[in-house]
Amino acid sequence: DTEVTQTPKHLVMGMTNKKSLKCEQHMGHRAMYWYKQKAKKPPELMFVYSYEKLSINESVPSRFSPECPNSSLLNLHLHALQPEDSALYLCASSQDRYLHGYTFGSGTRLTVV
Amino acid sequence: QQPVQSPQAVILREGEDAVINCSSSKALYSVHWYRQKHGEAPVFLMILLKGGEQKGHEKISASFNEKKQQSSLYLTASQLSYSGTYFCGTENPNGYALNFGKGTSLLVTP
């Protein structure tokens, strides 16, 4: 298995809702990442987990809450989002943080209404 | 902190060559290159880890000049399938994760 699987593919949520994005990989990668991508912009780093521990939080608002239950799973919990949070949320993984490229999932297209 | 890419956009005829540049204001230890097609996830092309290192991937190759703090991606004899946005990634100063450049949009026409 050489894929990163993200669910759901599309999500529409209201500003008072709570939802979660899920990311899964079975490649034995020990680093996992959340990126946010707006249209015609590069992916923007949000969170990094290395060996299931949060190692980088790029000053992301607390309405985004990451969780890494085990080495294969990464969740992003969403609460009280704003319309400007609408974007493509990409999960990625890599064998380690230093020497290998990232494998990206196909993303969750999030719309906040 | 964000690497600088140039040019912003390139339009090529099939078979033509292109060069995409990526530079940083700080010392680099590695550079990643990715291609993203519209509506799809970025796909890893290659990583360059040492100064002067060159790598190849089909007819796409790259070089890394750590002294100049820059990398270049070379696309030779371009094919229609090369169309997409190319991003370079360099390490985040807070620890190793990637910050991406703004991207170079490449369109190959018949």
Side-chain angles (χ1 to χ4, degrees):
Chain A
D1 187 354
T2 58
E3 288 187 343
V4 173
T5 303
Q6 287 188 246
T7 55
K9 293 197 181 307
H10 300 275
L11 179 62
V12 179
M13 61 184 290
M15 289 189 283
T16 58
N17 291 160
K18 285 185 180 181
K19 296 286 184 182
S20 296
L21 310 184
K22 182 180 173 181
C23 172
E24 194 166 5
Q25 57 90 13
H26 296 287
M27 295 177 281
H29 288 179
R30 303 317 299 263
M32 296 185 76
Y33 315 83
W34 281 114
Y35 280 85
K36 172 183 176 180
Q37 188 175 28
K38 293 265 198 182
K40 300 189 184 299
K41 299 290 186 183
E44 183 182 324
L45 182 65
M46 298 177 73
F47 300 104
V48 179
Y49 274 85
S50 179
Y51 290 86
E52 301 160 49
K53 291 186 178 178
L54 182 64
S55 57
I56 301 175
N57 173 346
E58 287 292 283
S59 300
V60 178
S62 59
R63 56 186 184 268
F64 295 92
S65 175
E67 179 195 19
C68 188
N70 59 56
S71 60
S72 300
L73 277 176
L74 190 63
N75 297 319
L76 186 63
H77 302 297
L78 314 173
H79 174 56
L81 295 192
Q82 303 296 310
E84 60 264 29
D85 296 322
S86 298
L88 180 67
Y89 288 83
L90 292 164
C91 174
S93 70
S94 61
Q95 193 166 329
D96 55 48
R97 287 198 292 154
Y98 299 93
L99 302 176
H100 297 86
Y102 293 7
T103 300
F104 281 87
S106 56
T108 294
R109 177 76 59 189
L110 174 68
T111 304
V112 182
V113 297
Chain B
Q1 295 178 2
Q2 181 181 40
V4 177
Q5 284 186 239
S6 62
Q8 284 188 319
V10 182
I11 300 176
L12 297 174
R13 289 271 177 95
E14 239 181 324
E16 292 182 337
D17 301 342
V19 180
I20 300 171
N21 298 305
C22 174
S23 63
S24 174
S25 59
K26 64 184 244 342
L28 293 176
Y29 300 98
S30 66
V31 178
H32 292 223
W33 286 98
Y34 293 79
R35 176 173 62 209
Q36 186 175 28
K37 293 181 180 281
H38 182 69
E40 299 181 9
V43 173
F44 173 68
L45 294 176
M46 64 191 79
I47 180 173
L48 298 109
L49 294 171
K50 295 184 293 187
E53 184 175 23
Q54 296 191 12
K55 279 198 169 182
H57 176 78
E58 298 176 345
K59 292 180 182 176
I60 301 174
S61 61
S63 63
F64 180 23
N65 187 324
E66 63 182 18
K67 286 185 180 179
K68 292 185 178 179
Q69 296 167 190
Q70 67 185 32
S71 176
S72 295
L73 187 72
Y74 306 94
L75 300 102
T76 58
S78 59
Q79 305 169 14
L80 297 177
S81 62
Y82 287 2
S83 294
T85 300
Y86 289 78
F87 294 103
C88 69
T90 59
E91 59 267 28
N92 180 292
N94 293 331
Y96 199 83
L98 293 180
N99 284 342
F100 289 95
K102 291 186 176 181
T104 296
S105 175
L106 179 75
L107 176 63
V108 181
T109 61

